[in-house]
Amino acid sequence: MTDMTENRGGESETPAARRSPLVKRGGGDPGSRGRTTIADGVVEKIAGLAARDVDGVHAMGSGLSRTFGAVRDRVPGGAKSVTRGVKAEVGEVQAALDLEIVVEYGVSIADVARGVRENVITAVERMTGLEVVEVNIAVSDVKLPDEEEEEPERRIQ
């Protein structure tokens, strides 16, 4: 015979039904069970794309890294590196970024840097939930109007 008791309404009740329905199993909100880690490279990609969206940014990285990147981009199967000129240090809840940019001639470097900083912080915090504690920007070059592109178009031979 099963352990059944009558409740006030005269209906039979099992031991499981007598337990409080307020007891949560598994320790609370399912969204807080476990840990999420975000790789430095993920934050670097987000920051690189966000920085390139700012008017006045001509390129990312130093001259040498852009030259190697241009060669790498031309290799069949090689993808354009969105992380060029970006270095991230990611902790459990915070991130710090270093960016190296080339600005267009004639723009206000202070305004471009401010715009890059704001865009990068907004994008990284929105997408990752990390707190961005600093975005350091190094302007390594100015793109002059009469300078040739370091990454010329391919010529058909």
Side-chain angles (χ1 to χ4, degrees):
M1 183 170 197
T2 60
D3 181 20
M4 307 269 286
T5 59
E6 285 190 23
N7 63 13
R8 290 181 219 163
E11 300 166 0
S12 295
E13 195 176 81
T14 64
R18 285 191 301 256
R19 288 189 209 139
S20 169
L22 301 175
V23 174
K24 288 187 178 183
R25 296 181 186 197
D29 176 31
S32 66
R33 296 181 202 170
R35 199 172 95 176
T36 302
T37 57
I38 300 171
D40 293 0
V42 172
V43 173
E44 289 169 355
K45 282 184 180 182
I46 295 167
L49 290 170
R52 284 173 175 80
D53 282 345
V54 176
D55 288 336
V57 174
H58 174 72
M60 301 287 296
S62 67
L64 185 61
S65 72
R66 290 195 324 270
T67 301
F68 284 131
V71 171
R72 187 175 44 245
D73 293 346
R74 289 191 190 105
V75 174
K80 195 165 194 149
S81 176
V82 296
T83 61
R84 186 181 314 142
V86 183
K87 179 66 182 143
E89 292 182 27
V90 180
E92 288 188 27
V93 295
Q94 295 180 326
L97 294 127
D98 294 322
L99 283 78
E100 190 170 1
I101 66 173
V102 176
V103 298
E104 298 282 346
Y105 176 79
V107 299
S108 164
I109 293 174
D111 289 346
V112 171
R114 186 178 309 105
V116 167
R117 195 171 279 115
E118 289 172 359
N119 216 31
V120 166
I121 290 170
T122 300
V124 170
E125 288 184 345
R126 180 180 53 81
M127 291 184 69
T128 66
L130 295 168
E131 175 192 7
V132 178
V133 293
E134 67 180 4
V135 176
N136 299 310
I137 298 172
V139 178
S140 62
D141 202 357
V142 174
K143 166 65 172 78
L144 300 175
D146 58 345
E147 281 183 330
E148 285 187 30
E149 289 291 322
E150 290 181 5
E151 302 174 18
E153 293 181 29
R154 289 183 163 191
R155 296 182 185 171
I156 299 174
Q157 295 181 350

